[in-house]
């Protein structure tokens, strides 16, 4: 099994540099058994004003969609259980149960402010190819609430939801022609191999007429293409249409009740049109929607055959996020961690407690080796004194065996000391394989029952092979940080808080630099106008004397030792920029005053300006593990979403640095957003590339 678990993505744009660590985080898993979809998660963003009608309308939409889905899949599926996650910013009510592993980031359906490119148009973020499910469905509050508006523009809610579910669940694509705001385009008309000009769609039996969008008049042929002119569109005949397909073409027609198929003995009115030059045919090599669906686990090999049910009305469970983050740091202090690993972990955890954890969060510290102990019970972080008390319990030494199960159980115990563990986070860091009982597999059933989220950091190539599965099953994140790479370790700690607690801080720069004795390293970074609040620069080292740091602002003023913003501890220099950081270039010098080489870790973080969204980079991969064979080609798809809120950032230079086993060789790969190869859609802000060059088993 080859596991390539670390990617450092560097986004170089004209005004900003951003780092991102690849993270294994999957959307909430929708389950299907005996024709019933359960564990469907809908989440409302914390910035949406409180409005109970949103919850009521979500229930109505799912109720309608469940009935339509049952018919569209020939009585093979419907929605049985749906969870609605209420944001922590809304009033707490008795009927709201505490959330467990459910978070907004993992929701299958989001209710959030509009994507500027899509407006209120429902859509699915779909970065994978044919048959690969999407990340999430996006519905806006106005679309959810304004029923007449929604039906006038997109048709009946239940049918529109089924259309989007085709994208989300089965990896289907649109069967009509379109031009998107990002520049992606598929023709509205085509000339088939036999017969006259046809509208791009499925099936060919949809009745209608062609009209110019602006004039309403008859369309003229374009002399260059011999097809209808650019402003021409096909308008369906609502009264006289007989076509029953397809949901991926014109789901709003009352007669449309199914997806297109390729069965010659099936309904001819929903028979697939493989000649239409639409995105579905392009991505799926001319296969019908049902061809793709029948290869999905929901229906493959006859799974979930038709079943008569008395009701398709779903059951709804209302959950609410906790107001503050609850996290237990579960840290490995076994013998393999001795030396630099434990020193580096101590440094990163100390920085995490002092600078990253927000006020009001509850933090505890657990260590484990052959056994486990609670070093510091859960405590609400409300003062610097509490932060320092936590820091004092961070381990400095390491010895003994490795009982990961012991650490996990002790972490749950720490959570239970202050209430229900449900929804709490265990942040597990380990560098080796477990060799003491209980093992991860022994404690897993109990952890799942407790509904705790477990984020894992594999702190070496030798870290236990169960870590990624542990995170995946509990709704957590998983990372890999090599023993010599403190920036990856720091970024992993930061990402757990930003994702789970919905923190908005941005890491602008994170790098390790080795500086020769008596030498100075000069570098710079850029701050744009979307960030600049609470900006902090941190410079840390493990060996040698304290380096000398100077920082020059865009205005030319210099911050150095003795400046009020300049703070020194035993192994870290922190510069906290006063007020809002000035937009522009910030230059810094790091001088090694010793004789020997010195490694300096530089981390720059900032927060968005109120009312604005920062540019963020989110990295993902297509699989947690792969079957590697030196004789058979093995591929992995690497993605990086570069966005400002929901708005895609285009024209970025996105590079991936892949550290490969067995010797840590680094390979560079440029990701592309050109709509070719691994990239499904052009200019959607998702940069993609296939990676084939595996060399050995390992992380």
């Amino acid at each position: 099994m080859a596991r390539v678990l670390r990617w450092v993505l560097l986004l170089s744009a004209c005004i900003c540099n951003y780092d991102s660590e690849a993270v294994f985080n999957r959307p909430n898993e929708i389950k299907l058994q005996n024709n019933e979809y359960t564990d469907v998660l809908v989440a409302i963003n914390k910035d949406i004003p409180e409005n109970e009608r949103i919850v009521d309308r979500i229930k109505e939409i799912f109720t309608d969609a469940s009935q339509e889905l049952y018919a569209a899949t020939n009585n093979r599926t419907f929605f049985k259980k749906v969870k609605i996650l209420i944001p922590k910013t809304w009033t707490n009510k008795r009927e709201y149960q505490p959330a467990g592993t459910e978070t907004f980031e993992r929701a299958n359906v989001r209710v959030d402010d509009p994507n500027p490119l899509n407006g209120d148009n429902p859509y699915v973020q779909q970065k994978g190819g044919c048959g690969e499910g999407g990340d999430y469905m996006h519905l806006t509050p106005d679309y959810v609430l304004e029923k007449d508006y929604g039906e006038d523009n997109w048709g009946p809610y239940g049918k529109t939801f089924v259309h989007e579910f085709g994208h989300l669940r089965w990896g289907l694509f649109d069967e009509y022609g379109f031009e998107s705001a990002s520049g992606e385009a598929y023709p509205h008309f085509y000339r088939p191999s036999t017969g006259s000009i046809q509208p791009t769609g499925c099936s060919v039996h949809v009745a209608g007429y062609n009209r110019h969008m602006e004039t309403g008049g008859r369309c003229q042929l374009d002399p260059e293409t011999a097809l209808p002119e650019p402003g021409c569109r096909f308008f369906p005949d609502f009264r006289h249409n007989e076509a029953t397909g397809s949901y991926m073409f014109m789901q709003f027609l009352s007669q449309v009740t199914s997806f297109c198929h390729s069965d010659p003995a099936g309904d001819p009115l929903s028979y697939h049109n493989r000649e239409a030059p639409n995105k579905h045919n392009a991505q799926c090599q001319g296969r019908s929607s049902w061809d793709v669906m029948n290869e999905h686990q929901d229906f493959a090999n006859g799974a979930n055959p038709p079943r008569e049910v008395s009701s398709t009305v779903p059951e709804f469970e209302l959950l609410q996020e906790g107001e503050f983050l609850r996290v237990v740091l579960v840290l490995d202090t076994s013998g393999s961690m001795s030396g630099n690993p434990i020193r580096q972990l101590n440094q990163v955890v100390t920085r995490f407690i002092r600078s990253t954890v927000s006020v009001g969060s509850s933090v505890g510290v657990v260590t484990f080796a052959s056994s486990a102990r609670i070093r510091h019970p859960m405590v609400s972080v409300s003062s610097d004194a509490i932060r320092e008390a936590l820091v004092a319990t961070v381990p400095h030494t390491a010895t003994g065996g490795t009982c990961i199960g012991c650490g996990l159980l002790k972490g749950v115990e720490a959570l239970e000391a202050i209430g229900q563990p449900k929804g709490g986070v265990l942040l597990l860091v380990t560098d080796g394989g477990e060799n003491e009982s209980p093992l991860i597999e022994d404690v897993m059933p109990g952890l799942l029952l407790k509904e705790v989220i477990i984020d894992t950091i594999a702190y070496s190539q030798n870290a236990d092979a169960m870590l990624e599965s542990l995170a995946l099953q509990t709704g957590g994140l998983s990372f890999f940080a090599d023993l010599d790479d403190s920036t990856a370790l720091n970024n992993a700690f930061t990402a757990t808080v930003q994702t789970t607690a919905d923190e908005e801080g941005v890491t602008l720069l994170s790098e390790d630099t080795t500086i020769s004795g008596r030498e100075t390293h000069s570098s710079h970074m850029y701050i744009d106008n979307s960030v600049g609040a609470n900006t902090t620069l941190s410079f840390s080292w493990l060996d040698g004397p304290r380096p000398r740091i100077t920082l020059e602002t865009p205005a030319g003023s210099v911050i150095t030792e003795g400046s009020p913003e300049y703070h020194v501890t035993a192994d870290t220099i922190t510069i906290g920029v006063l007020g809002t950081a000035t937009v522009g270039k910030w230059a810094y010098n790091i001088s090694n005053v010793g004789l020997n080489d010195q490694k300096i870790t530089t981390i720059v973080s900032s927060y968005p300006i109120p009312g604005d969204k920062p540019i963020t980079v989110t990295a993902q991969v297509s699989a947690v593990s792969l079957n590697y064979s030196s004789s058979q080609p093995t591929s992995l798809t690497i993605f990086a979403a570069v966005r400002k809120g929901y708005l895609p950032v285009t024209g970025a230079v996105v590079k991936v640095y892949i550290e490969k086993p067995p010797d840590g060789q680094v390979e560079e790969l440029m990701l592309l957003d050109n709509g070719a190869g691994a990239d499904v859609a052009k200019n959607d802000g998702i940069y993609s590339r296939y990676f084939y060059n595996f060399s050995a088993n390992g992380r």
Side-chain angles (χ1 to χ4, degrees):
M1 301 287 284
R3 289 196 174 122
V4 183
L5 302 185
R6 177 176 171 262
W7 286 264
V8 182
L9 281 79
L10 302 180
L11 165 62
S12 300
C14 60
I15 53 174
C16 304
N17 294 323
Y18 289 91
D19 286 357
S20 173
E21 290 297 321
V23 53
F24 288 133
N25 182 28
R26 293 289 181 267
N28 173 73
E29 182 183 0
I30 300 174
K31 298 179 177 63
L32 176 62
Q33 187 174 9
N34 197 26
N35 308 97
E36 300 173 349
Y37 284 117
T38 60
D39 286 344
V40 183
L41 179 61
V42 186
I44 304 168
N45 188 273
K46 64 181 179 62
D47 295 327
I48 301 302
E50 185 167 357
N51 187 339
E52 284 189 40
R53 285 192 57 242
I54 292 178
V55 177
D56 293 337
R57 286 288 297 135
I58 290 172
K59 292 179 179 180
E60 291 175 11
I61 291 169
F62 265 92
T63 299
D64 292 345
S66 185
Q67 183 177 1
E68 298 290 352
L69 182 65
Y70 183 66
T73 58
N74 303 321
N75 299 3
R76 297 179 70 175
T77 63
F78 65 97
F79 296 118
K80 180 64 175 179
K81 294 183 179 180
V82 178
K83 297 177 180 179
I84 302 176
L85 185 63
I86 308 297
K88 59 187 176 184
T89 50
W90 288 22
T91 305
N92 181 267
K93 296 185 178 180
R94 180 174 296 179
E95 61 265 32
Y96 299 164
Q97 299 299 312
T101 60
E102 299 84 8
T103 63
F104 178 82
E105 290 296 326
R106 297 184 65 234
N108 309 112
V109 181
R110 296 180 177 185
V111 178
D112 201 356
D113 288 330
N115 179 325
L117 293 184
N118 293 344
D120 291 320
N121 189 42
Y123 74 94
V124 168
Q125 177 172 290
Q126 197 170 5
K127 66 178 184 293
C130 182
E132 299 178 33
D135 291 335
Y136 58 83
M137 186 188 305
H138 186 161
L139 308 178
T140 69
D142 282 349
Y143 173 77
V144 171
L145 290 171
E146 303 300 327
K147 187 173 181 179
D148 290 343
Y149 165 67
E151 290 184 342
D152 287 346
N153 284 277
W154 295 281
Y157 278 77
K159 302 189 77 172
T160 300
F161 194 96
V162 172
H163 170 94
E164 298 301 335
F165 194 73
H167 296 300
L168 180 71
R169 182 66 176 179
W170 304 306
L172 308 179
F173 292 88
D174 292 323
E175 293 173 338
Y176 47 79
F178 65 86
E179 298 94 14
S180 71
S182 65
E184 187 180 18
Y186 289 85
H188 292 273
F189 298 91
Y190 72 103
R191 191 177 293 275
S193 56
T194 60
S196 58
I197 293 171
Q198 294 289 329
T200 299
C202 188
S203 71
V204 296
H205 297 286
V206 176
Y209 50 91
N210 304 335
R211 289 290 184 271
H212 195 281
M213 285 192 303
E214 297 179 1
T215 67
R218 292 181 179 276
C219 297
Q220 304 298 315
L221 289 183
D222 186 321
E224 293 187 5
T225 65
L227 294 173
E229 58 191 316
C232 186
R233 294 294 183 270
F234 173 75
F235 292 85
D237 186 336
F238 285 84
R239 290 186 177 181
H240 301 101
N241 174 65
E242 295 181 352
T244 56
S246 164
Y247 258 100
M248 304 312 293
F249 178 38
M250 289 188 168
Q251 83 285 344
F252 49 82
L253 294 174
S254 60
Q255 299 89 347
V256 169
T257 57
S258 62
F259 295 91
C260 271
H261 65 87
S262 61
D263 181 3
D267 180 4
L269 297 178
S270 56
Y271 190 76
H272 181 57
N273 176 16
R274 63 178 295 114
E275 289 193 54
N278 54 42
K279 186 169 185 176
H280 182 84
N281 278 335
Q283 290 291 328
C284 299
Q285 294 76 51
R287 291 180 296 159
S288 73
S289 292
W290 262 114
D291 288 339
V292 176
M293 293 161 65
N294 279 326
E295 294 178 358
H296 191 277
Q297 63 182 10
D298 289 355
F299 306 115
N301 301 313
N304 296 288
R307 178 170 71 92
E308 293 295 328
V309 297
S310 58
S311 173
T312 61
V313 177
E315 301 169 12
F316 295 96
E317 182 180 10
L318 303 184
L319 308 172
Q320 189 168 34
E321 301 169 313
E323 187 174 359
F324 295 108
L325 173 70
R326 293 171 294 140
V327 59
V328 183
L329 308 180
V330 183
L331 310 176
D332 186 351
T333 58
S334 63
S336 59
M337 287 285 292
S338 61
N340 274 349
I342 195 68
R343 293 174 61 204
Q344 190 161 270
L345 178 63
N346 177 279
Q347 191 177 71
V348 170
V349 173
T350 297
R351 184 188 304 116
F352 175 77
I353 293 171
R354 284 178 174 159
S355 305
T356 305
V357 175
S358 59
V359 173
S361 299
S362 292
V363 180
V365 179
V366 165
T367 58
F368 68 92
S370 296
S371 59
R373 57 177 287 208
I374 298 176
R375 292 280 190 124
H376 198 295
M378 298 291 292
V379 61
S380 177
V381 177
S382 57
S383 67
D384 288 342
I386 289 176
R387 292 183 192 272
E388 293 308 312
L390 285 163
V391 167
T393 66
V394 178
H396 295 266
T397 59
T399 185
T402 305
C403 181
I404 297 176
C406 297
L408 295 171
L409 292 177
K410 194 62 69 172
V412 172
E413 181 182 323
L415 286 171
E416 289 179 327
I418 62 169
Q420 288 189 51
K422 182 178 182 181
V425 179
L426 304 183
L427 177 49
L428 170 67
V429 185
T430 181
D431 75 327
E434 51 188 349
N435 52 32
E436 303 268 1
S437 295
L439 305 177
I440 294 174
E441 64 181 14
D442 299 328
V443 302
M444 180 70 82
L447 295 172
L448 294 175
L449 288 174
K450 298 288 186 181
E451 295 189 65
V452 294
I453 299 169
I454 303 176
D455 293 339
T456 66
I457 302 175
Y459 191 26
S460 79
Q461 287 280 355
N462 300 319
D464 198 275
M466 283 286 292
L467 294 185
E468 289 76 37
S469 175
L470 174 64
L472 192 63
Q473 291 188 58
T474 60
L477 311 175
S478 59
F479 301 86
F480 167 60
D482 191 73
L483 290 173
D484 295 327
D485 192 346
S486 61
T487 60
L489 186 62
N490 179 83
N491 292 347
F493 268 82
T494 302
T496 61
V497 172
Q498 291 177 343
T499 302
T500 308
D502 202 17
E503 293 283 345
E504 295 183 339
V506 178
T507 300
L508 301 180
L509 178 69
S510 179
E511 67 177 6
D512 282 334
T513 306
T514 298
I515 306 174
S516 301
R518 304 295 188 184
E519 295 292 331
T520 295
H521 170 71
S522 299
S523 190
H524 63 272
M525 58 155 189
Y526 291 92
I527 293 180
D528 71 6
N529 57 10
S530 68
V531 294
N534 300 322
T535 302
T536 301
L537 297 88
S538 170
F539 304 88
S540 303
W541 62 96
L542 289 177
D543 299 299
R546 184 171 78 228
R548 185 169 58 249
I549 309 294
T550 61
L551 174 67
E552 183 178 352
T553 72
S557 59
V558 177
I559 299 171
T560 188
E561 189 164 359
S563 301
E565 305 96 323
Y566 196 102
H567 305 282
V568 180
T569 59
D571 58 5
T572 303
I573 294 171
T574 303
I575 299 176
V577 177
L578 301 177
T580 300
T582 306
V583 172
K585 178 181 177 180
W586 291 69
Y588 58 89
N589 295 318
I590 309 172
S591 298
N592 177 3
V593 300
L595 297 176
N596 299 318
D597 290 353
Q598 187 176 40
K599 188 173 80 169
I600 307 294
T601 299
T602 304
I603 296 170
V604 182
S605 61
S606 188
Y607 281 76
I609 301 300
D612 204 348
K613 296 286 187 181
I615 295 174
T616 59
V617 184
T618 304
Q620 286 187 321
V621 289
S622 59
V624 173
S625 61
L626 297 170
N627 290 319
Y628 165 71
S629 170
S630 58
S631 61
Q632 296 292 329
T634 301
S635 69
L636 184 75
T637 309
I638 305 174
F639 306 97
V642 187
R643 298 189 182 282
K644 183 178 174 67
Y646 284 111
L647 189 67
V649 175
T650 60
V653 177
V654 182
K655 294 180 180 180
V656 180
Y657 294 93
I658 304 165
E659 185 176 303
K660 303 191 302 182
D663 55 4
Q665 178 186 356
V666 176
E667 185 163 331
E668 179 182 309
L669 189 69
M670 182 83 74
L671 303 189
L672 303 174
D673 187 16
N674 60 358
D679 195 62
V680 170
K682 179 181 179 181
N683 292 335
D684 65 347
I686 300 177
Y687 297 73
S688 315
R689 197 79 176 266
Y690 293 121
F691 179 71
Y692 296 96
N693 197 16
F694 294 94
S695 54
N697 289 321
R699 285 188 168 90

